[in-house]
Amino acid sequence: MPLAVQMFSEKAALINTIIQTSIGCGLCLGPPIGSLLLPLGGYKCPFILVGSLEFLAFILGIALIPPTDKHPATEPKSKSPHYFQFLGNASTLSVAIPIALLYCTPGIRDTTYSLYFEDVMKLSPANVGFIFITYSVVFLITGTVVGLLVEKGLGSILAIFAQLFAPVVATGFFLPKILPQLESVVWGGILLACNGITLSSAINPGYLIMEKVAIRQGFTNIQQVKPMVATSFSLIMSSGRTFGAFVIGGYINDVIGFNYMCLCYAIMLSVSGLWNVVYLVRCGYARRLYYETN
């Protein structure tokens, strides 16, 4: 995302939408393609194919990615971007930390959901992979829709929705502890689909809001702001995913078990979500917001 935004700074919304759609397509195609390739060439076959395609994409990238301007126009009155100054600002943290906690979901899913479906619901690994398609398909569809809505200025509304809806979804995985009849594949599939809605409603709007935060801090040169924000946003998402995998899905899950881990995560999301929503309302971001293009 940072590279693409730097090359096509006027297309930040479209880039975010394409990335979300591409991720959704990959997540949808992965399980069926992997299931087809395993019988044909064994365990190594999917990795050989993916590695070959990645290498081909690398070669095509060298040929197709246009060169960037080595001496971009600067604005004398603009504050020069300072990566760590931007990340450490209180207003940036009010957006970044809640988004990072939201993006713990993929890390938690990777480390705990498969085991949950296999051990508790007695599903085979192949069937578990196909259940995850509910998340992938919804992420694919809503990612595209969200991108269009963000272009219409509705990004902040979607961001508020994501922050308020995420704790509800996390609590849904705890509910079978007190309502055993909910412990079913259907309930799990519904919650996975809701996870897809939550993440797609947070990623694209989150980048837009952070762009506005950077401009308010004095970083007014859009050609410099966009790659700085894109890089920061990538760091936030990867940090959230890592924290979700190692701390929440790893350590906390081992200590208190899957259901109570989900309740603990729901509490974290409630606190961070309330913080984020209050910040957006108080700072005037809970309204129509549009990408800066010049």
Side-chain angles (χ1 to χ4, degrees):
M1 186 168 69
L3 295 175
V5 168
Q6 191 168 11
M7 288 186 292
F8 309 102
S9 58
E10 75 283 359
K11 300 291 185 182
L14 179 62
I15 289 168
N16 274 286
T17 302
I18 291 174
I19 289 174
Q20 288 192 65
T21 303
S22 301
I23 292 172
C25 288
L27 291 171
C28 291
L29 294 173
I33 291 177
S35 298
L36 291 172
L37 292 175
L38 283 172
L40 294 177
Y43 181 75
K44 294 181 181 180
C45 187
F47 296 98
I48 293 173
L49 176 65
V50 172
S52 301
L53 291 175
E54 290 282 0
F55 183 75
L56 177 62
F58 165 70
I59 299 299
L60 290 174
I62 295 176
L64 299 178
I65 293 176
T68 56
D69 186 359
K70 294 182 179 180
H71 303 285
T74 58
E75 299 175 10
K77 296 182 180 179
S78 175
K79 193 175 179 182
S80 297
H82 192 292
Y83 185 68
F84 293 106
Q85 179 186 347
F86 170 66
L87 276 178
N89 190 281
S91 57
T92 305
L93 294 175
S94 297
V95 178
I97 292 177
I99 291 176
L101 276 174
L102 273 175
Y103 216 77
C104 287
T105 301
I108 297 171
R109 185 192 67 235
D110 293 344
T111 54
T112 64
Y113 286 7
S114 294
L115 296 176
Y116 174 72
F117 284 116
E118 289 179 34
D119 296 343
V120 177
M121 300 186 184
K122 308 303 179 184
L123 294 177
S124 67
N127 289 332
V128 171
F130 284 107
I131 289 176
F132 284 145
I133 291 181
T134 59
Y135 162 84
S136 307
V137 170
V138 171
F139 185 88
L140 169 63
I141 296 172
T142 56
T144 305
V145 173
V146 166
L148 296 174
L149 293 176
V150 171
E151 283 279 6
K152 301 297 182 181
L154 299 176
S156 60
I157 305 302
L158 292 170
I160 291 173
F161 162 78
Q163 295 291 351
L164 297 177
F165 187 49
V168 177
V169 179
T171 304
F173 279 106
F174 167 75
L175 287 180
K177 191 71 177 179
I178 56 178
L179 296 172
Q181 59 270 28
L182 289 177
E183 202 160 64
S184 66
V185 174
V186 173
W187 182 248
I190 291 173
L191 294 176
L192 285 174
C194 290
N195 275 333
I197 295 174
T198 302
L199 284 185
S200 63
S201 299
I203 296 175
N204 202 326
Y207 171 85
L208 168 63
I209 293 169
M210 286 191 66
E211 183 180 286
K212 300 297 182 183
V213 170
I215 293 171
R216 177 172 288 190
Q217 290 178 25
F219 302 105
T220 54
N221 187 334
I222 299 302
Q223 300 301 318
Q224 296 175 324
V225 163
K226 287 184 180 295
M228 180 183 73
V229 172
T231 304
S232 303
F233 200 71
S234 297
L235 173 63
I236 290 165
M237 291 192 295
S238 59
S239 299
R241 186 164 191 154
T242 302
F243 182 82
F246 281 92
V247 178
I248 301 177
Y251 178 75
I252 295 178
N253 179 62
D254 285 344
V255 172
I256 61 178
F258 178 80
N259 296 110
Y260 285 105
M261 178 270 294
C262 292
L263 179 62
C264 180
Y265 182 47
I267 295 172
M268 293 182 192
L269 288 171
S270 298
V271 174
S272 66
L274 181 62
W275 173 21
N276 184 257
V277 171
V278 169
Y279 169 78
L280 294 178
V281 172
R282 290 189 63 181
C283 293
Y285 292 120
R287 56 179 174 79
R288 283 184 177 266
L289 297 176
Y290 298 91
Y291 281 98
E292 298 288 341
T293 57
N294 52 50

